Amino acid sequence: MKKFILALLIVVSSLVLDCSALEVCEMSSEYKRWLELGEERFNFEEPPYCESSIMKPRRYGLSKYSLYSSNNLRYSSLELGYLSDIRDQKYTSSCWTFAANSCVETSARKEGLGNFDFSEKHMEYSLTRYPYLTSSLVNPLGINRELDSGGNSFYAASYYYRFTGPILESQMPFTEYNLPIEDNSIPNEVPSVLIGNYDINYYNQGICSDDAIKLIKDKIVKYGSVGASIYMPSSYNLYSKYINGEYYYYPDGYDTNHAVNIVGWDDSIVSTNFKNTPSRNGAWIVRNSWGEAFGNKGYFYISYDDTNVCTRISNYNDIKVNDYDNAYRANYGLANYRLGFRSGGTIFTSAKFAKKTENIEYLDRVSVEVEKNTSYEVYLSKTNNIESNDDWILLGTGDSRSSGVKTLTFDAQEITNDYTIIVKYTSSEDYFFPVLCKSDGDVYKYANIPLKTTMYSIDGTEWKDLGEYSSSSSSIEGCSNVIFAYTRNAKQQVETPDIE
């Protein structure tokens, strides 16, 4: 019998400090034609999103466009019209909310879903345990963090997948300070969009490797932007050591404290433009959240040699306009620990969900958190019998090369009673699976861990309760897995009386 061990999760992104200007435009006719090509569109350069863009390209037919790739000398999502107006976080520590929402807005716009402006304030307050004027009043969905204390893409992804948001800016407008609000006044709105996949890639601190640069460029071309973390000094005297107008390069050893978006690159930017001259030419085009007065109308260049810019790269993609009625979740966030074995193998985990409505629901979407280099199979049991796989319905499979959350969509399954989702993880490497554990001093210190709801198994027949898992060395008092399921309610037939 292999020994079951616990692995501490490295937090996705360090907590942050108090942590390009385009007019809203209509989708161009050329961009509409490009979208209509389906998968074939990736064989052609993407036309500008806006009818009138900064680049103002000549109106060639689609066949005249060449393919964008990481081999291009320069690429800019700003110049292609994929970015919303620059934002200003003012006196808040909410840069992480601006970076996350900007990624989602850009990805949605690039996928042809339209122009969105999501509420950063709603994310900030929804993830705070005590956000109200009555200081002891608990927000039941808040994690163990104080208002305006910073965050990261891990928090943001939890907010998205648990069906809390994003909601529109107009539904909870931004304010210049994050201060306590009226009791129970956080809007409870249906999210505007659903996020398909959340990817997080880690690299060691130091200058960007060639592999990291290529991966980041590929993601920018495909999704429009990525989230990144940098170190930005809090005092002007220190800050002025590393900034030269719109050129920034930090070569020293402090960890990240500020969230931004990489929206392009320019390999021709010469190293002498930067203070503390880096070893090579080339820079990222970066979107900040400090308003248009910063850098070049809110944007700036960061050298490829920057110590931190490539260490934590996140992105959200496969965005869908939300038309779901119900969301089910094993708990209220992403994992803070990993459970499993070393040297490869398979682990099963399951989550039983209590049906929310009295009528028939239709399930056709499941999201699961995964580790990198892991394959996964997702099953449905309508009888909740996890000891035997005879009645398991295979919903879909996938392979993940990066850590994060993956979403499967499939033919709708009729749900009439409580149901169970089972996930089988397989890896040739260390095969851990993500778990959310209640742990003193952690963001999930106050997590509600249910019993007999989430389980794990080595062979798929003998199961143990994750809610009973404990570890004195890590102060763990129970765990649950990270599985989300989404359903639509059956359309109710309205009988029309006969008219004589």
Side-chain angles (χ1 to χ4, degrees):
M1 180 69 179
K2 296 179 181 178
K3 184 180 179 183
F4 207 64
I5 60 176
L6 174 75
L8 177 65
L9 167 67
I10 300 174
V11 176
V12 168
S13 174
S14 300
L15 295 183
V16 295
L17 273 182
D18 306 343
C19 223
S20 0
L22 289 177
E23 295 298 321
V24 174
C25 63
E26 295 298 323
M27 188 188 300
S28 69
S29 57
E30 289 184 359
Y31 194 82
K32 291 177 183 177
R33 290 173 55 208
W34 182 78
L35 285 177
E36 290 170 357
L37 294 176
E39 291 299 316
E40 290 296 318
R41 69 184 185 275
F42 297 116
N43 293 323
F44 302 96
E45 180 181 312
E46 301 154 43
Y49 182 94
C50 301
E51 285 291 358
S52 175
S53 77
I54 291 176
M55 292 184 74
K56 295 184 174 63
R58 292 173 63 189
R59 296 305 185 187
Y60 295 121
L62 282 173
S63 62
K64 298 294 185 181
Y65 282 96
S66 61
L67 177 67
Y68 279 131
S69 77
S70 57
N71 296 322
N72 284 85
L73 181 68
R74 176 183 169 85
Y75 179 93
S76 172
S77 289
L78 171 65
E79 293 168 354
L80 288 171
Y82 297 138
L83 303 179
S84 55
D85 291 346
I86 207 73
R87 307 288 160 71
D88 190 343
Q89 67 184 77
K90 294 295 184 180
Y91 308 104
T92 73
S93 300
S94 298
C95 57
W96 58 284
T97 67
F98 285 88
N101 276 350
S102 179
C103 268
V104 176
E105 290 167 0
T106 300
S107 188
R109 193 168 185 170
K110 197 169 190 299
E111 292 175 25
L113 301 183
N115 305 323
F116 289 97
D117 180 5
F118 296 126
S119 170
E120 287 78 24
K121 183 173 182 176
H122 188 256
M123 186 188 301
E124 168 76 41
Y125 281 73
S126 295
L127 291 165
T128 300
R129 183 166 174 80
Y130 299 107
Y132 301 122
L133 289 172
T134 300
S135 59
S136 60
L137 182 61
V138 173
N139 167 23
L141 291 179
I143 58 179
N144 185 30
R145 65 177 292 273
E146 295 181 0
L147 185 65
D148 205 40
S149 61
N152 50 54
S153 69
F154 159 78
Y155 295 173
S158 297
Y159 165 82
Y160 294 140
Y161 283 100
R162 72 187 194 185
F163 215 59
T164 306
I167 69 170
L168 299 177
E169 172 71 14
S170 59
Q171 294 172 305
M172 192 173 186
F174 177 75
T175 52
E176 294 189 358
Y177 296 89
N178 286 331
L179 300 174
I181 56 176
E182 293 293 332
D183 293 356
N184 300 312
S185 61
I186 299 175
N188 182 22
E189 303 287 349
V190 175
S192 298
V193 299
L194 291 180
I195 285 61
N197 302 310
Y198 161 65
D199 296 319
I200 179 75
N201 294 89
Y202 298 100
Y203 297 94
N204 293 330
Q205 191 179 53
I207 65 174
C208 299
S209 68
D210 290 342
D211 287 345
I213 289 174
K214 185 180 186 311
L215 178 142
I216 295 168
K217 287 181 175 180
D218 286 343
K219 288 183 179 294
I220 293 170
V221 169
K222 194 168 185 179
Y223 306 122
S225 70
V226 297
S229 300
I230 64 174
Y231 176 75
M232 190 69 79
S234 55
S235 73
Y236 177 77
N237 288 337
L238 287 175
Y239 172 74
S240 62
K241 289 174 56 178
Y242 306 111
I243 191 80
N244 181 31
E246 59 188 287
Y247 300 95
Y248 182 79
Y249 166 47
Y250 178 74
D252 298 330
Y254 282 114
D255 202 355
T256 62
N257 64 0
H258 185 55
V260 294
N261 298 102
I262 303 177
V263 301
W265 68 87
D266 191 332
D267 292 341
S268 68
I269 297 296
V270 295
S271 60
T272 53
N273 286 347
F274 300 92
K275 288 188 177 180
N276 309 300
T277 307
S279 67
R280 55 184 165 172
N281 295 339
W284 300 112
I285 302 171
V286 178
R287 173 186 171 97
N288 204 359
S289 55
W290 290 354
E292 291 191 6
F294 174 83
N296 183 356
K297 295 186 177 180
Y299 293 84
F300 64 120
Y301 291 103
I302 295 183
S303 167
Y304 293 151
D305 276 9
D306 187 271
T307 296
N308 292 306
V309 69
C310 292
T311 56
R312 300 173 180 89
I313 299 298
S314 60
N315 72 279
Y316 308 88
N317 58 77
D318 193 17
I319 313 300
K320 171 184 170 56
V321 174
N322 179 36
D323 61 354
Y324 287 84
D325 299 301
N326 311 294
Y328 296 84
R329 49 186 171 79
N331 217 298
Y332 63 177
L334 269 59
N336 56 341
Y337 288 92
R338 304 298 193 242
L339 288 176
F341 300 106
R342 299 199 181 277
S343 74
T346 296
I347 295 178
F348 295 80
T349 186
S350 69
K352 182 179 179 181
F353 296 124
K355 187 168 171 289
K356 292 188 174 183
T357 67
E358 296 181 355
N359 300 314
I360 295 173
E361 298 177 22
Y362 290 96
L363 170 74
D364 67 359
R365 184 183 183 93
V366 171
S367 300
V368 298
E369 189 170 1
V370 298
E371 281 289 271
K372 65 179 181 179
N373 300 323
T374 300
S375 63
Y376 53 95
E377 302 170 10
V378 180
Y379 298 87
L380 166 68
S381 173
K382 295 183 181 182
T383 64
N384 302 301
N385 180 7
I386 58 176
E387 285 76 19
S388 171
N389 61 12
D390 291 344
D391 69 342
W392 292 6
I393 301 169
L394 177 63
L395 301 179
T397 65
D399 294 287
S400 179
R401 290 189 291 177
S402 60
S403 300
V405 180
K406 303 299 180 184
T407 296
L408 293 173
T409 57
F410 40 85
D411 292 339
Q413 298 291 323
E414 186 177 280
I415 302 298
T416 57
N417 294 294
D418 297 351
Y419 63 99
T420 298
I421 299 295
I422 305 105
V423 181
K424 176 184 177 182
Y425 295 104
T426 303
S427 176
S428 59
E429 304 177 4
D430 296 349
Y431 64 116
F432 297 109
F433 75 98
V435 288
L436 183 159
C437 299
K438 182 177 182 178
S439 180
D440 190 42
D442 191 271
V443 292
Y444 297 134
K445 176 180 180 179
Y446 302 104
N448 178 25
I449 304 295
L451 298 177
K452 306 299 181 184
T453 301
T454 60
M455 314 289 285
Y456 68 93
S457 172
I458 298 169
D459 57 10
T461 59
E462 295 184 12
W463 295 79
K464 294 184 179 180
D465 189 351
L466 269 172
E468 295 179 347
Y469 185 89
S470 63
S471 171
S472 57
S473 61
S474 301
S475 302
I476 287 179
E477 305 173 30
C479 302
S480 61
N481 53 34
V482 184
I483 299 174
F484 305 90
Y486 306 90
T487 69
R488 298 181 182 88
N489 296 333
K491 302 296 184 184
Q492 299 300 305
Q493 297 293 329
V494 179
E495 294 188 6
T496 304
D498 294 333
I499 300 176
E500 295 182 356

